[in-house]
Amino acid sequence: DTGVSQDPRHKITKRGQNVTFRCDPISEHNRLYWYRQTLGQGPEFLTYFQNEAQLEKSRLLSDRFSAERPKGSFSTLEIQRTEQGDSAMYLCASSPPSGSNTEAFFGQGTRLTVV
Amino acid sequence: QKEVEQNSGPLSVPEGAIASLNCTYSDRVSQSFFWYRQYSGKSPELIMSIYSNGDKEDGRFTAQLNKASQYVSLLIRDSQPSDSATYLCAVNTRRLTGGGNKLTFGTGTQLKVEL
């Protein structure tokens, strides 16, 4: 399967704990995005990488959130000191390098539940 | 005014009928428009992209774009029960540094295809 892969698929954590999610994009895609989706809403943009450079961060991404893409391949999203409001589906998407109107493909998502 | 607006539904259509899903957007400079299908508990799946005014057909799906009216729609012909899902309209509201697209999503329209 050459699609976007996310791990884990589900994560239940206690409030105050740190969690880290991983995303492996489609291999030839150099653009990688993180989105967050809560029930009944569409995905909301969090951050964007081109290769290893993080070029954009949403105001939704508080100081407790950090994302990396150290070698321009896989990416990680870490949430420190989780809060119940962080419960959501965290979606990773990737798109190819060529052109400006490029399609983004999503992974299966990581569903986070903070108890 | 929301950047991307969709009727949340549910939209119920009988099997074999045409389902018409609508979306309006507020930013006139938007250039790329996408429809994603999302089954309950799953991640969004890209089904159509459209960049120019007019119609774009792909199998049973037709996307329609009218930039003057800031309106994009998705028609599903010969609707099947397996089409029952939430359909998300996504618009690139801003070009990101390096050429990526920040997508803004509507809240989605729930489609139910009834036997």
Side-chain angles (χ1 to χ4, degrees), chain A residues 37 50 56 100-101 103-104 107, chain B residues 32 36 38 43 49 94 98 101:
Chain A
Q37 186 177 25
Q50 184 184 48
E56 183 87 11
S100 56
N101 290 326
E103 299 169 338
Chain B
S32 309
Y36 287 83
Q38 187 170 31
S43 64
S49 59
R94 187 158 59 86
N101 286 315

Side-chain angles (χ1 to χ4, degrees), chain B residues 21-100:
Chain B
L21 304 161
N22 305 315
C23 172
T24 58
Y25 60 95
S26 60
D27 191 346
R28 286 191 171 276
V29 303
S30 299
Q31 297 180 359
S32 309
F33 307 86
F34 306 91
W35 284 98
Y36 287 83
R37 177 175 62 198
Q38 187 170 31
Y39 293 111
S40 180
K42 304 296 185 183
S43 64
E45 174 191 8
L46 180 66
I47 53 171
M48 288 290 286
S49 59
I50 187 166
Y51 310 113
S52 304
N53 281 328
D55 295 358
K56 179 182 177 182
E57 185 174 321
D58 184 0
R60 296 187 296 113
F61 298 100
T62 298
Q64 299 175 317
L65 175 61
N66 184 326
K67 290 186 178 180
S69 299
Q70 295 174 241
Y71 178 91
V72 59
S73 65
L74 179 70
L75 300 178
I76 306 175
R77 289 180 299 282
D78 189 23
S79 296
Q80 301 297 309
S82 59
D83 295 326
S84 298
T86 295
Y87 289 81
L88 296 163
C89 173
V91 176
N92 87 312
T93 47
R94 187 158 59 86
R95 183 69 51 78
L96 300 170
T97 304

